[in-house]
Coordinates of all heavy atoms in Angstrom, one line a residue:
Q21 N -2.0 -3.3 26.6 CA -3.1 -2.4 27.0 C -3.2 -1.2 25.9 O -4.3 -0.8 25.5 CB -2.8 -1.8 28.4 CG -3.9 -0.9 28.8 CD -3.5 -0.3 30.2 OE1 -2.5 -0.6 30.8 NE2 -4.4 0.5 30.7
A22 N -2.0 -0.7 25.5 CA -2.1 0.3 24.5 C -2.7 -0.2 23.2 O -3.5 0.5 22.6 CB -0.6 0.8 24.2
L23 N -2.4 -1.4 22.8 CA -3.0 -2.0 21.5 C -4.5 -2.0 21.6 O -5.3 -1.8 20.7 CB -2.4 -3.3 21.2 CG -1.0 -3.3 20.7 CD1 -0.4 -4.7 20.6 CD2 -0.9 -2.5 19.4
R24 N -5.0 -2.5 22.8 CA -6.4 -2.6 23.0 C -7.1 -1.2 22.9 O -8.2 -1.1 22.4 CB -6.7 -3.3 24.4 CG -6.5 -4.8 24.4 CD -7.0 -5.5 25.6 NE -6.2 -5.1 26.8 CZ -5.1 -5.7 27.2 NH1 -4.5 -6.6 26.4 NH2 -4.4 -5.2 28.3
L25 N -6.4 -0.2 23.5 CA -7.0 1.1 23.5 C -7.0 1.7 22.0 O -7.9 2.3 21.5 CB -6.3 2.0 24.5 CG -6.4 1.8 25.9 CD1 -5.4 2.6 26.7 CD2 -7.9 2.1 26.3
L26 N -5.8 1.5 21.3 CA -5.8 2.0 19.9 C -6.8 1.3 19.0 O -7.3 2.0 18.1 CB -4.3 1.7 19.4 CG -3.3 2.7 19.9 CD1 -1.9 2.2 19.5 CD2 -3.5 4.1 19.4
A27 N -7.1 0.0 19.3 CA -8.1 -0.6 18.5 C -9.5 0.0 18.6 O -10.3 -0.2 17.8 CB -8.2 -2.1 18.9
Q28 N -9.7 0.8 19.7 CA -11.0 1.4 19.9 C -11.1 2.9 19.5 O -12.1 3.5 19.5 CB -11.3 1.4 21.5 CG -11.4 -0.1 22.0 CD -11.6 0.0 23.5 OE1 -12.1 0.9 24.1 NE2 -11.1 -1.1 24.2
V29 N -10.1 3.4 18.9 CA -10.0 4.8 18.4 C -10.9 4.9 17.2 O -10.6 4.3 16.2 CB -8.6 5.3 18.2 CG1 -8.6 6.6 17.6 CG2 -7.7 5.2 19.5
P30 N -11.9 5.7 17.2 CA -12.8 5.9 16.1 C -12.0 6.6 15.0 O -11.1 7.5 15.2 CB -13.9 6.9 16.6 CG -13.8 6.9 18.0 CD -12.4 6.5 18.4
G31 N -12.1 6.0 13.8 CA -11.5 6.7 12.6 C -10.1 6.1 12.4 O -9.3 6.5 11.5
L32 N -9.6 5.1 13.2 CA -8.3 4.5 13.0 C -8.4 3.0 13.1 O -8.8 2.4 14.0 CB -7.4 4.9 14.2 CG -6.0 4.4 14.2 CD1 -5.2 5.2 13.0 CD2 -5.2 4.6 15.5
D33 N -8.3 2.4 11.9 CA -8.3 0.9 11.7 C -7.0 0.3 11.7 O -6.1 0.6 10.8 CB -9.1 0.5 10.4 CG -10.6 0.8 10.5 OD1 -11.1 1.0 11.7 OD2 -11.2 0.8 9.5
L34 N -6.7 -0.6 12.7 CA -5.4 -1.3 12.7 C -5.4 -2.3 11.7 O -6.2 -3.2 11.7 CB -5.1 -1.8 14.1 CG -5.1 -0.7 15.2 CD1 -4.8 -1.5 16.6 CD2 -4.1 0.4 14.9
L35 N -4.5 -2.3 10.7 CA -4.4 -3.2 9.6 C -3.5 -4.3 9.9 O -3.7 -5.5 9.5 CB -4.0 -2.5 8.3 CG -4.9 -1.4 7.9 CD1 -4.4 -0.7 6.6 CD2 -6.3 -1.8 7.6
E36 N -2.4 -4.0 10.5 CA -1.3 -4.9 10.7 C -0.6 -4.6 12.0 O -0.3 -3.4 12.2 CB -0.3 -5.0 9.6 CG 0.7 -6.2 9.6 CD 1.5 -6.3 8.4 OE1 1.0 -5.9 7.3 OE2 2.6 -6.8 8.5
I37 N -0.3 -5.7 12.9 CA 0.3 -5.5 14.1 C 1.5 -6.5 14.1 O 1.3 -7.7 14.0 CB -0.6 -5.8 15.3 CG1 -1.8 -4.8 15.3 CG2 0.2 -5.6 16.6 CD1 -2.9 -5.1 16.2
S38 N 2.7 -6.0 14.3 CA 3.9 -6.8 14.3 C 3.9 -7.6 15.6 O 3.1 -7.4 16.6 CB 5.1 -6.0 14.2 OG 5.4 -5.4 15.5
G39 N 4.8 -8.5 15.7 CA 5.1 -9.1 17.0 C 5.8 -8.2 17.9 O 6.1 -7.0 17.5
I40 N 6.1 -8.6 19.1 CA 6.8 -7.8 20.0 C 8.3 -8.0 19.9 O 8.8 -9.1 19.9 CB 6.4 -8.1 21.5 CG1 4.8 -7.8 21.7 CG2 7.2 -7.3 22.5 CD1 4.3 -8.2 23.0
Y41 N 9.0 -6.9 19.8 CA 10.5 -6.9 19.6 C 11.1 -6.3 20.9 O 10.8 -5.2 21.2 CB 10.9 -6.0 18.4 CG 10.5 -6.6 17.1 CD1 9.3 -6.1 16.5 CD2 11.1 -7.6 16.4 CE1 8.8 -6.5 15.2 CE2 10.7 -8.0 15.2 CZ 9.6 -7.5 14.6 OH 9.1 -8.0 13.4
P42 N 12.0 -7.1 21.4 CA 12.7 -6.5 22.7 C 13.6 -5.4 22.2 O 14.2 -5.4 21.1 CB 13.5 -7.7 23.2 CG 13.6 -8.6 22.2 CD 12.4 -8.4 21.2
N43 N 13.7 -4.3 23.1 CA 14.6 -3.2 22.9 C 16.1 -3.8 23.1 O 16.2 -4.8 23.7 CB 14.4 -2.1 23.7 CG 13.3 -1.2 23.2 OD1 12.6 -1.5 22.2 ND2 12.9 -0.1 23.8
R44 N 17.0 -3.1 22.6 CA 18.4 -3.5 22.7 C 19.0 -3.3 24.1 O 18.5 -2.6 24.9 CB 19.3 -2.7 21.7 CG 18.9 -3.0 20.3 CD 19.8 -2.3 19.3 NE 19.4 -2.7 17.9 CZ 19.2 -1.9 17.0 NH1 19.4 -0.6 17.2 NH2 18.9 -2.2 15.8
G45 N 20.0 -4.1 24.4 CA 20.7 -4.0 25.6 C 19.9 -4.5 26.8 O 19.1 -5.5 26.6
A46 N 20.1 -4.0 28.0 CA 19.5 -4.6 29.1 C 18.1 -4.0 29.4 O 17.5 -4.1 30.5 CB 20.4 -4.3 30.4
S47 N 17.5 -3.3 28.5 CA 16.2 -2.6 28.6 C 15.1 -3.6 28.9 O 15.1 -4.7 28.2 CB 15.9 -1.8 27.4 OG 14.6 -1.3 27.5
R48 N 14.2 -3.3 29.7 CA 13.0 -4.2 29.9 C 11.9 -3.8 28.9 O 10.8 -4.5 28.8 CB 12.5 -4.0 31.4 CG 13.5 -4.5 32.4 CD 13.0 -4.3 33.8 NE 11.5 -4.1 33.9 CZ 11.0 -3.2 34.8 NH1 11.7 -2.5 35.5 NH2 9.6 -3.1 34.8
L49 N 12.2 -2.8 28.1 CA 11.1 -2.2 27.2 C 11.1 -3.1 25.9 O 12.1 -3.8 25.6 CB 11.3 -0.8 26.8 CG 11.3 0.2 28.0 CD1 11.6 1.5 27.5 CD2 10.0 0.1 28.7
A50 N 10.0 -3.1 25.3 CA 9.8 -3.7 24.0 C 9.1 -2.8 23.0 O 8.7 -1.7 23.5 CB 9.0 -5.0 24.2
R51 N 9.0 -3.2 21.8 CA 8.3 -2.3 20.8 C 7.4 -3.1 19.9 O 7.6 -4.3 19.6 CB 9.2 -1.4 20.0 CG 10.3 -2.2 19.2 CD 11.4 -1.3 18.8 NE 12.3 -2.0 17.9 CZ 13.2 -2.9 18.3 NH1 13.4 -3.1 19.6 NH2 14.0 -3.5 17.4
V52 N 6.4 -2.5 19.4 CA 5.5 -3.1 18.5 C 5.2 -2.0 17.3 O 5.2 -0.8 17.6 CB 4.1 -3.4 19.1 CG1 3.0 -3.9 18.1 CG2 4.2 -4.4 20.2
Y53 N 5.2 -2.6 16.1 CA 4.9 -1.7 14.9 C 3.5 -2.0 14.4 O 3.1 -3.1 14.3 CB 6.0 -2.0 13.8 CG 7.3 -1.7 14.2 CD1 8.2 -2.7 14.8 CD2 7.9 -0.5 14.1 CE1 9.4 -2.5 15.2 CE2 9.2 -0.2 14.5 CZ 10.0 -1.2 15.0 OH 11.2 -1.0 15.5
L54 N 2.9 -0.8 14.0 CA 1.5 -1.0 13.5 C 1.3 -0.3 12.2 O 2.0 0.7 11.9 CB 0.5 -0.2 14.5 CG 0.7 -0.5 16.0 CD1 -0.2 0.5 16.7 CD2 0.2 -1.9 16.2
D55 N 0.6 -0.9 11.3 CA 0.1 -0.2 10.1 C -1.4 0.2 10.4 O -2.2 -0.8 10.8 CB 0.2 -1.0 8.8 CG 1.6 -1.1 8.4 OD1 2.5 -0.3 8.8 OD2 1.9 -2.0 7.6
A56 N -1.9 1.3 10.2 CA -3.3 1.7 10.4 C -3.7 2.6 9.3 O -3.0 3.2 8.6 CB -3.3 2.5 11.7
Q57 N -5.1 2.5 9.1 CA -5.7 3.3 8.1 C -6.6 4.3 8.8 O -7.4 4.0 9.7 CB -6.5 2.4 7.2 CG -7.1 3.1 6.1 CD -7.9 2.2 5.1 OE1 -8.0 1.0 5.3 NE2 -8.4 2.7 3.9
L58 N -6.5 5.5 8.2 CA -7.5 6.6 8.7 C -8.8 6.4 7.9 O -8.8 6.4 6.7 CB -6.8 7.9 8.5 CG -5.5 8.2 9.1 CD1 -4.9 9.6 8.7 CD2 -5.5 8.1 10.6
T59 N -9.8 6.4 8.7 CA -11.1 6.1 8.1 C -12.1 7.3 8.2 O -13.3 7.1 7.9 CB -11.8 4.8 8.6 OG1 -12.0 5.0 10.0 CG2 -10.9 3.6 8.4
V60 N -11.6 8.4 8.6 CA -12.5 9.6 8.7 C -12.1 10.6 7.6 O -10.9 10.6 7.2 CB -12.3 10.2 10.1 CG1 -12.9 9.4 11.1 CG2 -11.0 10.6 10.4
P61 N -13.0 11.4 7.1 CA -12.6 12.3 6.1 C -11.5 13.2 6.6 O -11.5 13.6 7.8 CB -13.9 13.2 5.9 CG -15.0 12.3 6.4 CD -14.4 11.5 7.5
P62 N -10.6 13.7 5.7 CA -9.5 14.5 6.2 C -10.0 15.9 6.8 O -11.0 16.4 6.2 CB -8.6 14.8 5.0 CG -9.5 14.4 3.9 CD -10.5 13.4 4.4
S63 N -9.4 16.4 7.8 CA -9.8 17.8 8.3 C -8.6 18.6 7.8 O -7.6 18.2 7.4 CB -9.9 17.7 9.8 OG -8.6 17.2 10.4
P64 N -8.9 20.0 8.0 CA -7.8 20.9 7.6 C -6.5 20.5 8.3 O -6.5 20.0 9.4 CB -8.4 22.3 8.1 CG -9.8 22.0 8.2 CD -10.0 20.6 8.6
P65 N -5.4 20.6 7.5 CA -4.1 20.2 8.1 C -3.8 20.9 9.4 O -4.0 22.1 9.4 CB -3.1 20.5 7.1 CG -3.8 21.3 6.0 CD -5.3 21.2 6.2
A66 N -3.3 20.2 10.4 CA -2.8 20.8 11.6 C -1.3 21.2 11.4 O -0.6 20.4 10.8 CB -3.0 19.9 12.8
R67 N -0.9 22.3 12.0 CA 0.5 22.5 12.0 C 1.2 21.9 13.1 O 1.0 22.0 14.2 CB 0.7 24.1 12.1 CG 2.2 24.5 12.0 CD 2.3 26.0 12.1 NE 3.7 26.3 11.8 CZ 4.2 26.8 10.8 NH1 3.4 26.9 9.7 NH2 5.5 27.1 10.7
L68 N 2.1 21.0 12.7 CA 2.9 20.2 13.7 C 4.2 20.9 14.0 O 4.9 21.3 13.1 CB 3.2 18.7 13.2 CG 1.9 17.9 13.0 CD1 2.5 16.6 12.5 CD2 1.2 17.7 14.2
E69 N 4.5 21.1 15.3 CA 5.8 21.7 15.7 C 6.7 20.5 16.2 O 6.3 19.8 17.1 CB 5.5 22.7 16.8 CG 4.7 23.8 16.5 CD 5.4 24.9 15.5 OE1 6.6 24.9 15.5 OE2 4.7 25.5 14.8
I70 N 7.8 20.3 15.5 CA 8.7 19.2 15.8 C 9.8 19.8 16.5 O 10.5 20.8 16.1 CB 9.1 18.5 14.6 CG1 7.9 17.9 13.9 CG2 10.2 17.4 15.0 CD1 8.2 17.1 12.6
T71 N 10.1 19.4 17.7 CA 11.2 19.9 18.6 C 12.1 18.8 18.9 O 11.7 17.6 18.9 CB 10.6 20.5 20.0 OG1 9.9 19.5 20.6 CG2 9.7 21.7 19.6

Side-chain angles (χ1 to χ4, degrees):
Q21 182 179 2
L23 289 171
R24 286 189 292 280
L25 290 170
L26 284 169
Q28 298 175 26
V29 173
L32 185 71
D33 286 346
L34 301 181
L35 303 175
E36 190 171 331
I37 302 171
S38 75
I40 296 176
Y41 295 95
N43 280 4
R44 295 183 178 133
S47 177
R48 295 179 18 219
L49 300 177
R51 62 193 184 280
V52 174
Y53 298 92
L54 312 170
D55 287 345
Q57 183 175 8
L58 303 176
T59 60
V60 293
S63 57
R67 182 178 182 100
L68 296 178
E69 297 289 333
I70 300 176
T71 59

